[in-house]
């Protein structure tokens, strides 16, 4: 029964140069571990609330000193020298201490940094790999590694809004290992660099998640360019390499209309555009095709594309068990994008995972656009047997720390990749 003897917090910077938190937890057997947490940009309205300092003279108000003080103050006072039987016990104590539906009292950032640092310290104490510890939390025995979904092109809030849709991702579908997947991705990425230079005279500058982000003339061209990059790299689109898209459409939804390129579409109009894309291009997953509040039209979107592509909910669901239940009931989606910081504790994220699994949904475990060099997400995706992982591009070290950790886990376990296509 571990007892926390020390709990400290540090304001650190994320990959966008904005403050975030790292917490360090020490247990009574001297096991000690830290965890750093990420932060989104295209956030959902129903996400748990990060606590930011609000002092405009420092980091434009984004400082995390109050959140760090909450960990070392009220959270430490409540947790130190108490025994916790399980992660669940600890997380319930945190939820109780915060006592708001959106973690806005202590801050979702303070709560999650504590929850994760305790998990990692517990893994150290038990002398098991972190992925095994995550699996044990949900009584699960993983045997597979997640399929990679890798950012190739970026738009939306991650790239200064040069194009409305946020991500075009490639999925090395024929790869049989993580190592192969990364090598295929590198070839497609290099082919894209050359294509974009030739077509748009653009230098290979990258957006928040490391994706390439030239001034594409339209969203459809962005998808066509991805297909051409796959072909020019010598792969067969749809067989060797498939596509996933994240429209993040909440962020181009204004007054009931979707402003896509030069079109102003109602929900039915956007569903038709997406339906055509899934027929024209090898798209196997569509994330946030509609906005987070367009509940009545999500089932229509799913109906229109489900024979070809997953209907993946990010902003719609916010890893929130209440919203996931609603989506299961109305058949609004068939896949969950799981981001632990959208809900704030590992225990609630596990509940979200289990609800989605019980409904036979597919799961993608995802990083945020503002990340740190911490790699716990790789262990989580393996321990919880995510069908896929979404971390960003193969450039930028906050992304690579997760891919490189997956390479280590692959060498350690020799587990095969999740089969593809998902069925
Ligand atoms: P975010 O974006 O971290 O900025 O929310 C990631 C995503 O939409 O998948
Ligand atoms: Zn998203």
């Amino acid at each position: 029964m571990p007892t926390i003897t020390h709990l400290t917090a540090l304001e650190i910077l994320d990959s966008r140069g904005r403050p975030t938190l790292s917490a360090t937890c020490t247990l009574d057997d001297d096991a000690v571990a830290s965890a750093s947490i990420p932060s989104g940009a295209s956030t959902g309205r129903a996400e748990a609330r990060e606590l930011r300092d609000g002092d405009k003279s420092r980091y434009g108000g984004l400082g995390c000193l109050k959140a760090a003080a909450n960990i070392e103050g009220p959270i430490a006072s409540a947790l130190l020298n108490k025994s916790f039987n399980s992660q669940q016990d600890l997380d319930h104590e945190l939820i109780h201490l915060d006592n708001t539906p959106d973690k806005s009292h202590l801050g979702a950032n303070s709560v999650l940094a504590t929850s994760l640092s305790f998990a990692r310290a517990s893994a150290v104490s038990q002398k098991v790999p972190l992925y095994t510890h995550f699996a044990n939390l949900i009584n699960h025995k993983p045997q597979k590694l997640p399929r990679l979904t890798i950012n190739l092109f970026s738009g939306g809030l991650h790239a200064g809004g040069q194009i409305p849709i946020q991500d075009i991702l490639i999925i090395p579908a024929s790869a049989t290992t993580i190592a192969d997947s990364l090598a295929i991705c590198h070839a497609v990425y290099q082919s894209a660099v050359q294509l974009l230079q030739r077509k748009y005279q653009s230098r290979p500058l990258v957006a928040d998640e490391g994706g390439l982000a030239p001034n594409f003339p339209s969203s459809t061209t962005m998808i066509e360019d991805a297909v051409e990059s796959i072909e020019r790299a010598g792969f067969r689109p749809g067989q060797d390499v498939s596509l996933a898209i994240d429209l993040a459409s909440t962020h181009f939804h204004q007054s009931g209309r979707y402003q896509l390129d030069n079109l102003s579409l109602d929900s039915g109009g956007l569903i038709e555009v997406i339906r055509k894309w899934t027929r024209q291009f090898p798209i196997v997953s569509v994330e946030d095709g509609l906005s987070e509040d367009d509940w009545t039209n999500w089932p229509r979107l799913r109906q229109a594309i489900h024979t070809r592509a997953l209907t993946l909910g990010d902003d719609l669901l916010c890893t929130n068990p209440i919203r996931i239940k609603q989506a299961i009931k109305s058949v609004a989606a068939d896949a969950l994008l799981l981001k632990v910081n959208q809900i704030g504790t590992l225990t609630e994220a596990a509940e979200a995972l289990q609800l989605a699994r019980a409904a036979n949904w597919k799961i993608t475990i995802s990083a945020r656009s503002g990340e740190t060099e911490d790699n716990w997400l790789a262990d989580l995706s393996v321990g919880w047997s995510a069908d896929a992982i979404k971390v960003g591009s193969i450039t930028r070290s906050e992304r690579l720390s997760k891919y490189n950790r997956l390479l280590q886990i692959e060498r350690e376990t020799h587990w095969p990749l999740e089969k593809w296509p998902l069925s």
Side-chain angles (χ1 to χ4, degrees):
M1 246 188 263
T3 300
I4 302 177
T5 55
H6 294 284
L7 188 62
T8 60
L10 185 65
E11 181 192 59
I12 59 168
L13 297 188
D14 73 14
S15 54
R16 275 191 282 254
R18 296 181 189 166
T20 187
L21 279 183
S22 163
T24 302
C25 177
T26 310
L27 302 179
D28 52 346
D29 60 0
D30 289 336
V32 48
S34 302
S36 308
I37 57 156
S39 179
S42 66
T43 48
R45 196 176 40 75
E47 289 195 21
R49 299 273 160 238
E50 297 169 336
L51 180 65
R52 300 282 180 176
D53 294 340
D55 168 5
K56 295 274 182 233
S57 67
R58 191 171 174 278
Y59 290 116
L62 293 174
C64 288
L65 296 179
K66 284 184 187 164
N70 277 350
I71 294 179
E72 297 193 347
I75 293 178
S77 309
L79 303 186
L80 289 195
N81 304 315
K82 254 197 198 168
S83 298
F84 293 100
N85 277 328
S86 63
Q87 182 74 36
Q88 252 186 352
D89 273 6
L90 175 104
D91 287 343
H92 284 146
E93 180 79 28
L94 287 168
I95 292 164
H96 174 72
L97 200 60
D98 172 78
N99 204 24
T100 64
D102 58 2
K103 315 278 183 313
S104 54
H105 174 52
L106 293 170
N109 42 357
S110 317
V111 170
L112 182 61
T114 307
S115 179
L116 276 170
S117 65
F118 177 76
R120 199 178 244 153
S122 302
V124 171
S125 162
Q126 290 159 31
K127 301 187 175 50
V128 294
L130 187 55
Y131 59 84
T132 304
H133 181 63
F134 282 140
N136 291 343
L137 297 184
I138 57 165
N139 296 319
H140 175 66
K141 294 250 168 302
Q143 289 172 331
K144 286 188 180 150
L145 303 175
R147 185 63 57 174
L148 304 187
T149 64
I150 307 165
N151 189 306
L152 183 67
F153 297 147
S154 293
L157 291 176
H158 297 167
Q162 95 288 22
I163 192 88
I165 69 176
Q166 186 179 282
D167 309 319
I168 307 290
L169 304 108
I170 54 172
I171 305 172
S174 61
T176 54
T177 63
I178 298 281
D180 278 355
S181 306
L182 291 170
I184 291 173
C185 180
H186 173 266
V188 176
Y189 192 90
Q190 290 311 318
S191 144
V193 166
Q194 285 168 18
L195 177 74
L196 302 183
Q197 193 169 29
R198 219 173 31 250
K199 252 183 111 169
Y200 309 117
Q201 291 74 51
S202 83
R203 288 179 292 148
L205 302 176
V206 299
D208 285 359
E209 295 191 353
L212 297 159
N215 286 322
F216 294 104
S218 71
S219 301
T220 303
T221 316
M222 193 177 178
I223 306 173
E224 284 165 355
D225 287 347
V227 174
E228 190 174 339
S229 304
I230 294 167
E231 282 166 345
R232 284 179 182 271
F235 300 110
R236 295 164 302 169
Q239 286 162 283
D240 300 320
V241 182
S242 302
L243 294 180
I245 57 176
D246 179 6
L247 281 84
S249 62
T250 301
H251 307 284
F252 57 86
H253 187 237
Q254 284 149 18
S255 321
R257 312 281 301 176
Y258 292 93
Q259 309 302 328
L260 183 74
D261 305 332
N262 53 1
L263 303 171
S264 176
L265 300 166
D266 62 9
S267 305
L270 184 55
I271 291 171
E272 189 47 25
V273 169
I274 298 170
R275 194 188 68 80
K276 283 195 181 137
W277 281 345
T278 60
R279 272 150 182 82
Q280 202 180 341
F281 304 113
I283 295 172
V284 294
S285 171
V286 175
E287 181 180 336
D288 281 356
L290 296 172
S291 101
E292 63 191 354
D293 294 320
D294 202 352
W295 279 97
T296 48
N297 290 298
W298 271 81
R300 289 175 59 201
L301 170 66
R302 188 201 164 260
Q303 191 58 36
I305 65 172
H306 80 279
T307 55
R308 289 171 187 258
L310 295 172
T311 306
L312 176 60
D314 173 13
D315 291 354
L316 176 78
L317 304 171
C318 284
T319 317
N320 183 318
I322 297 170
R323 292 178 76 93
I324 294 167
K325 279 184 202 158
Q326 189 180 341
I328 291 170
K329 204 164 154 213
S330 58
V331 200
D334 48 31
L336 167 69
L337 194 84
L338 187 149
K339 294 167 164 169
V340 185
N341 79 331
Q342 285 181 326
I343 188 72
T345 63
L346 274 170
T347 299
E348 291 159 291
E351 194 192 330
L353 175 95
Q354 281 158 334
L355 277 172
R357 277 273 180 252
N360 249 332
W361 283 18
K362 301 299 171 195
I363 317 276
T364 296
I365 289 190
S366 173
R368 300 307 304 248
S369 50
E371 269 293 332
T372 74
E373 65 277 23
D374 198 334
N375 58 16
W376 56 262
L377 193 88
D379 288 77
L380 190 72
S381 71
V382 174
W384 286 5
S385 289
D387 300 288
I389 182 170
K390 178 182 176 189
V391 167
S393 175
I394 53 158
T395 64
R396 302 182 46 141
S397 291
E398 79 280 3
R399 314 284 146 196
L400 268 299
S401 70
K402 283 73 164 174
Y403 293 129
N404 289 341
R405 173 69 184 144
L406 285 173
L407 287 169
Q408 282 172 350
I409 297 175
E410 179 165 74
R411 187 155 86 170
E412 213 166 287
T413 63
H414 302 288
W415 288 336
L417 272 193
E418 185 57 60
K419 67 179 174 343
W420 197 268
L422 300 171
S423 55

